[in-house]
Amino acid sequence: GENVEQHPSTLSVQEGDSAVIKCTYSDSASNYFPWYKQELGKGPQLIIDIRSNVGEKKDQRIAVTLNKTAKHFSLHITETQPEDSAVYFCAASMGQFYFGTGTSLTVIP
Amino acid sequence: DAEITQSPRHKITETGRQVTLACHQTWNHNNMFWYRQDLGHGLRLIHYSYGVHDTNKGEVSDGYSVSRSNTEDLPLTLESAASSQTSVYFCASSGGTSSYEQYFGPGTRLTVT
């Protein structure tokens, strides 16, 4: 099956700086790549996604890039704010979702 | 507003007992999923359903079962709870205008003693 690796596992940034989280996947058949934000005690919330026919997608301060050849995709958060502090998960899908192990992001005021 | 709910939110049970976790969605989504979340493993798929009377095994299905008798509900049953099944369980659904997107419930924290 698919194998998704996510790095780093923890990330601390100063407020206003950018944060980048990277994921790699193994199955070239995967064609959908969502990112989820999970706050303490809550379920994962979809924040942005990208499909394999697109290289980049932006939504205000967040963006996702996809390199199909290298089988990796990244989440970029600009102008980070304390409320961005959470655990972020990537996933790769060709039907079923395969999740990365998560990145705990801390934004230091 | 349409939503997905899980109950109970917290459950403590003993080894060997049967436990059922409820999941209910009001989006009229065809697809429903159960995941477990453990430190160091992210979210792993237990079972899923693409419609009424359809059920399929996921990556970690041993010791779990589901049934889908209507569109709104997909209960997850642990036939004989084991300590290894202590985890946080999330239900998700998809199947709106974009069937790829999955929306998650708030989770159930299960402890097996």
Side-chain angles (χ1 to χ4, degrees):
Chain A
E2 175 66 277
N3 181 46
V4 178
E5 295 190 356
Q6 182 172 346
H7 300 280
S9 57
T10 60
L11 180 60
S12 292
V13 300
Q14 291 292 136
E15 182 178 357
D17 288 350
S18 294
V20 180
I21 303 170
K22 299 181 179 181
C23 288
T24 62
Y25 61 100
S26 60
D27 195 330
S28 57
S30 290
N31 58 8
Y32 175 65
F33 307 91
W35 285 90
Y36 285 83
K37 175 183 180 182
Q38 186 177 24
E39 296 175 335
L40 200 61
K42 297 185 178 180
Q45 178 186 10
L46 179 67
I47 56 171
I48 196 167
D49 56 11
I50 192 167
R51 302 195 185 183
S52 59
N53 58 347
V54 176
E56 183 176 2
K57 183 177 179 181
K58 288 183 180 180
D59 183 2
Q60 299 183 335
R61 294 186 299 108
I62 61 174
V64 56
T65 59
L66 171 65
N67 183 325
K68 285 169 49 180
T69 303
K71 297 200 198 71
H72 67 70
F73 56 112
S74 300
L75 177 71
H76 304 255
I77 306 174
T78 59
E79 301 173 15
T80 54
Q81 302 168 2
E83 51 265 40
D84 294 329
S85 295
V87 179
Y88 292 81
F89 290 95
C90 65
S93 173
M94 63 194 101
Q96 289 188 36
F97 278 28
Y98 294 88
F99 284 86
T101 51
T103 296
S104 178
L105 173 64
T106 302
V107 179
I108 303 165
Chain B
D1 286 344
E3 60 177 356
I4 182 166
T5 57
Q6 294 183 234
S7 62
R9 294 294 314 277
H10 302 272
K11 175 77 176 177
I12 300 174
T13 192
E14 295 177 346
T15 301
R17 290 192 180 268
Q18 184 182 79
V19 177
T20 296
L21 309 182
C23 175
H24 179 81
Q25 53 95 6
T26 58
W27 281 304
N28 202 35
H29 283 169
N30 286 327
N31 310 325
M32 296 184 73
F33 310 83
W34 274 104
Y35 295 88
R36 61 178 288 173
Q37 184 174 43
D38 305 287
L39 206 61
H41 290 279
L43 290 141
R44 292 180 292 174
L45 184 64
I46 305 171
H47 281 286
Y48 59 102
S49 169
Y50 287 148
V52 176
H53 303 309
D54 175 73
T55 61
N56 305 279
K57 293 182 179 180
E59 181 185 357
V60 290
S61 61
D62 287 350
Y64 304 94
S65 64
V66 294
S67 62
R68 187 91 180 269
S69 59
N70 59 52
T71 301
E72 296 80 19
D73 300 287
L74 186 70
L76 176 71
T77 297
L78 286 69
E79 302 293 343
S80 177
S83 57
S84 60
Q85 294 177 308
T86 293
S87 187
V88 181
Y89 292 85
F90 288 99
C91 179
S93 71
S94 73
T97 54
S98 172
S99 62
Y100 287 102
E101 299 169 6
Q102 291 188 19
Y103 298 93
F104 283 78
T108 294
R109 180 174 295 276
L110 177 68
T111 302
V112 183
T113 62

